[in-house]
Structures are given as C-alpha cells and as structure tokens.
Amino acid sequence: MVTPVFGLLPTTDHRRSQEETMNLRRKAVLTAVLLAASAAVVSTTSASAGAARQELVCLVTAAASDHEQTLRRPSVVVDRLVEDTRSYRGRCVEYGERADLGNGELIAYSQADGSRPVSIGMIMTDGVLDGLPHDPPNDGKWCFDKDGNGTVDPMTECVGGYENQLELGWNFQRKVDSPFTYVLANWNPHGHIPVGVYNVPHFDVHFYVKPDAERTAIRPGPCPVLVNCDDYELGKRLPDAKYLAPDFADVDAVEPGMGNHLIDPTGPEFNGQPFTHTWVYGVWDREVTFYEPMITHEFFDGLRTGTINDGCFDFKLPGAWQESGWYPTKYCLRHRDNRGEITVSLENFVYRHAS
C-alpha cells in the first residue's frame, strides 16, 4: 500500500539515526522545491492573481515528483500549475493499493477533508489502455465445470474478466466517515451480458461498502451467472424497496466473487443509444454492497485523446440508507493531460442517516 507524505511528526527519540536525519533533510528540501516552484508560477502570473478566487491544489513538480503538498492559490495560478507541472486540483490524495494492467497501472486513491470524503476513485495511467489481455476473456479466477467433462472452458465456464482488488488508504478507511473500503476493477475484453448492450470491451469499476471476505465467499457454480445455487438465492434476496434506487431491476446477474448487479432498463443503452458509460448497483443478501460505474474502452480512449471531454454524472439515489455515513451523488470521468492518467471517481458526497 502506498501513502503520501502527510508532514513531519516530532520524535521523542533524541538519538535519531543518521538515516532518519537524512530523510528529514530530504523532505525539507523537497518542500522547499515545491514552494519555490509555486512562487515562481505566482511571480510570472498577472498581478491581479492575488485578488482572484482561491482554490486548493496539490503541488507536484518534476524535481520532487514523489512529494505532494496541498496549497491554496488563486485560480489563475492553479491553472498554470496544472498546465506546467504534475500538480492536480484539490487536496493531495492518499494513495491505496496499485496493480499493473496492460502497459500501465491502476491505483486506488481518496481525498478527504477531515472525516468527510471529497473523492474516492481509481487512477488509470494512459498505458493501461494499451496491451490489455484479450484472450481468454478472463483471468480464470472464477470458473466452474458446468458440463462436468473434467475441464474448464475459459470462454463459457469462467466469468469476471480480469480482476484487480485495490484497498483504499489506511487513513481513509480508519478516519473518514464513509462505508467504502476498496475498489474492484474488472477489465472485460469481450464485454458481458446482456448481449447487444454490454458485450463490448469495457471496465467495471466497483466501489465496495462491504468486506472483501464477503465478496470472495460468493462461489462459482451452475446457476446464473455461473454462481453456486445456494449463493444465487442469497443474491436474489433484495434489500427493502426504500434502499433501492428507482428503476433499478434484478435481471439475474448474480456473479461469483461480486454479487448481484441491478441495472436501470430506462438507461440510454436500452433505448436505442450506444453504451458508453452507465451506473449499476450491487446487492447481496438484502444489503447494498457496491456502487459501480461501467465505462467502455472506447470512451476512456476518447478521454485520453481529447475527443471526449471530462464530465461528472448524476445517478439515481435510493430514498433511504442502511448505514449512516457520507455517500456520493455523482461519478466523474476525467483525463489529466499533465500526468497522462484517467481518473474514475465518486464525488459530491452527502451525509445520510440510517433509517
């Protein structure tokens, strides 16, 4: 797990080792480099910047790319920093787990203001979209010999695509009042059911609010969609209607290692429009278990090349929540040109009491 530097803590050990001393000096130098870079941008920006609207920026420079510092600067300065350095808007993130995929890397991250989440998401470096595995259509983690012939056909007897489970950072999980704990990213090179809608190359980005042990206990078997039949019945036990967003329906999409997927048949992809990105809710044994944006490879590539603009999208919300905490009301898809990476995030959090 990777976490950013949050600042220097005082030590009670007056016999600090030489290595610790060198680390402290190094961090002090990095901080000086960051502040100098910010000051340089300010000095080359118009004098009116001082009176402009202020906003947060995470300052990152090429000279100190492994050190990030949150600053508040005029918007015109932030624009320059984002253009000329590896800085990004908002508070510095806490990085979680990461995994290689394609020719790049997936990284879980979170931003918080005290105990309130600002954003939780996944970074996808641009290289991920190249060199992705295609055949077989999955990594073989969730398979079942349905025809009983003694072998498993990866085309018809395995599901789940290529899976990477990424824990959010330590501080977020323990200090932020939110049920979200990890991201499960699935690359589906052939898509999945229903055929004619979602059978195009795409990513499923699940944000789970339940422990990973609960998810991985959902076994493969002969029932839809290749799930253990006892587990299938658990997946079919839906939460009370008040905890379900309007229009989302159970279509027997219960999968091993995931749970049941509820989809919205009023969405554009079911009404004559091509599938680009959409929203899914996950449930298991009467509980809502994950929030999921699904995004096509083509859409992500459009973000990367600039033919598709960044955007944030509302999704339908339930009338009540099973657990108190901060919950998102939008998902956002963006490209950071200065960093060569795509972000998928949940944002615009509101506090909800369990009822």
Side-chain angles (χ1 to χ4, degrees), residues 133-138 155 187-193 198-202:
H134 186 269
D135 287 312
N138 54 74
M155 300 298 294
W187 158 239
N188 303 283
H190 296 188
H192 53 63
I193 61 168
Y198 296 139
N199 60 321
V200 296
H202 72 270

Side-chain angles (χ1 to χ4, degrees), residues 156-182:
T156 61
E157 295 180 319
C158 296
V159 293
Y162 289 82
E163 170 187 308
N164 283 287
Q165 188 262 350
L166 308 170
E167 290 283 329
L168 294 169
W170 186 93
N171 284 280
F172 182 88
Q173 291 197 44
R174 288 157 180 79
K175 297 181 180 180
V176 178
D177 190 5
S178 170
F180 293 93
T181 58
Y182 67 93

